[in-house]
Structures are given as C-alpha cells and as structure tokens.
Amino acid sequence: MPDLAERLADVDARIAAAMRASGRARGEVTRIVVTKFHPPELVAELHALGVRDVGENRQQELSAKRDALGGLEGLRWHFIGQAQTNKARAVRSSADAVHSVDRVRIADALHAADPTGAPLDVLVQVNLTSDAGRGGAPTDQVETLAAHIAESCPSLRLRGVMAVAPLDEEPAAAFERLAAASLALRAVVPAATWISAGMTGDFVEAISAGATHLRIGSAITGPRPDRG
Ligand SMILES: *Cc1c(COP(=O)(O)O)cnc(C)c1O
C-alpha cells in the first residue's frame, strides 16, 4: 500500500491534470484534506508534507485536534459537518471556515457566538437531493439565506456554496445545479465565489463544474478507522 506522501502526490497530480483539462489554473483550486476519524498525528504528518487546509465534520473532534495541534503554523481548519446551534460557539472558536451553514438559525448562532470578533468565513450548504432530511438548504432558499447572512450577520463573511453530490445521480449533473446555486448566491453577494465540492469519488467532475475547494478524505488518508 502506498504511503501518505505517495497518496497525496497522486491525488495532487490528478487534480493538476483535471484543472489542465478544464483550462483552469492550478491556483484556482484549494485542496482540503478531510481528516475525520483519524488521529491528530495524521494531521501533523500532513502538515509536514505541506498540507495547510484540513477538514473535520464533528465539532468535538475538530476542537480536540485544534487544541492538540495549535502549534502547527498556518494550518486552516474547515468545518464541513452538520452544524448544531448549541455547538456554534465551539465551532466558531475552532474553525477558520464553516462550509455547512444551511439555515438562518445556524447563521445567527455563529454570528451571536462572537458578534464583534474576527470575521468567520462561511459557505451556504446546498441540498442537491430531493430528500429534505439531508443537510443543506433547498436550492430555492439559497438567495434568502445569503441575504440574511449579508444583512444580519456582520461577523460572518459569506464566501460561497458547498454541497455533497447525491449517491443516486451522476455527479456532473448534480454539480451543474450547484453551479447555478453559486450564480444565484453571487447575485446577492458578488464576492462569494467559492464552490466547495468534490470528494474522493467525484473531484474530477467537481473541477469540471468549477469547484474552487475540494474536500478529499480517503484517497489521501487511506481508509477511515472505525468511528467507534
Ligand atoms: C467525509 C467527507 C468528505 C471526504 O470524503 P472522501 O470520500 O473520504 O473523500 C467530504 N465532504 C464531507 C462533507 C465529508 O463528510
């Protein structure tokens, strides 16, 4: 089995090739390594290999790892999991960016956690499935939510949209709807140009659809340990 450095280099080569094939410059995309369920030591190894953007989907794990690794220079923590209002304060104090703002209540809670603090980068998570129980705002509510964040949450800096492709659909088709949601969002906040999309199984399609932030886990970290 190839080691961490080899897997990282392999994924980066595939990202570079996909960016070239789409006529895009490599610098237009940020590769976030999703380290959920892996120990802090793995994040430290990634940092030594030059990784600066890491993603976590559970607040407790994010906070614990950030505390354990606070000394690592330049590491940026992306929170990509379902956000709960009662954890908003902890998320805000540990995350540099929150990709999963999908309702007014969570935006308000993140703002209220530190209303005069340094701006927190946030993305509106969009639900690309027809199942309302999945995370994300329905596509027809993206503009309303964006307007609310822009007008009522001055400590949040709206950066763009995020989504996970549905399991039962071609990712390219789903990512087209995300690109449309990004356009709708930019009609409200023109500077919010980030598109966070693309995981191990679909990052090439996400790049074709204009993704600016890839969230790649197992292709780089190897299989996740049991969640316990
Ligand atoms: C786990 C996770 C990823 C990474 O998934 P892989 O398939 O391991 O690349 C990306 N985005 C979110 C929201 C996740 O929870």
Side-chain angles (χ1 to χ4, degrees):
M1 177 148 161
D3 70 8
L4 187 63
E6 285 166 342
R7 291 192 301 264
L8 180 65
D10 174 61
V11 167
D12 280 347
R14 287 155 61 198
I15 292 170
M19 290 298 282
R20 265 197 309 278
S22 296
R24 304 176 62 200
R26 174 63 182 87
E28 291 172 28
V29 79
T30 299
R31 176 255 296 119
I32 299 164
V33 182
V34 177
T35 48
K36 64 189 183 197
F37 310 143
H38 289 282
E41 291 73 23
L42 181 93
V43 180
E45 276 181 67
L46 286 163
H47 182 268
L49 293 169
V51 170
R52 291 296 176 267
D53 291 275
V54 292
E56 289 289 335
N57 73 335
R58 293 187 300 185
Q59 174 272 320
Q60 280 185 319
E61 197 175 334
L62 166 70
S63 300
K65 282 185 196 164
R66 184 160 191 149
D67 287 350
L69 297 167
L72 293 184
E73 181 117 17
L75 204 51
R76 288 176 293 270
W77 296 88
H78 298 258
F79 185 67
I80 61 174
Q82 293 255 1
Q84 291 170 321
T85 49
N86 63 344
K87 302 283 177 59
R89 185 172 301 274
V91 167
R92 177 137 195 187
S93 64
S94 307
D96 297 288
V98 176
H99 291 230
S100 43
V101 175
D102 61 0
R103 57 198 189 279
V104 163
R105 268 166 52 82
I106 190 68
D108 287 345
L110 286 168
H111 170 60
D114 195 4
T116 58
L120 174 70
D121 287 334
V122 298
L123 294 88
V124 166
Q125 183 177 351
V126 182
N127 183 358
L128 299 177
T129 74
S130 49
D131 174 359
R134 299 288 297 270
T139 46
D140 63 0
Q141 282 172 31
V142 168
E143 287 164 271
T144 316
L145 182 53
H148 177 85
I149 295 168
E151 285 158 19
S152 306
C153 304
S155 71
L156 305 184
R157 184 162 52 195
L158 183 59
R159 289 297 209 170
V161 291
M162 176 274 222
V164 177
L167 294 172
D168 57 355
E169 186 187 358
E170 281 296 315
F175 290 145
E176 265 179 46
R177 293 201 298 286
L178 182 62
S182 167
L183 266 181
L185 181 107
R186 279 181 279 153
V188 181
V189 180
T193 55
W194 294 10
I195 300 178
S196 167
M199 312 181 11
T200 288
D202 57 22
F203 69 83
V204 171
E205 289 88 346
I207 286 171
S208 306
T212 63
H213 291 68
L214 313 171
R215 307 178 312 269
I216 303 179
S218 42
I220 295 172
T221 61
R224 281 186 276 278
D226 269 351
R227 15 171 55 185

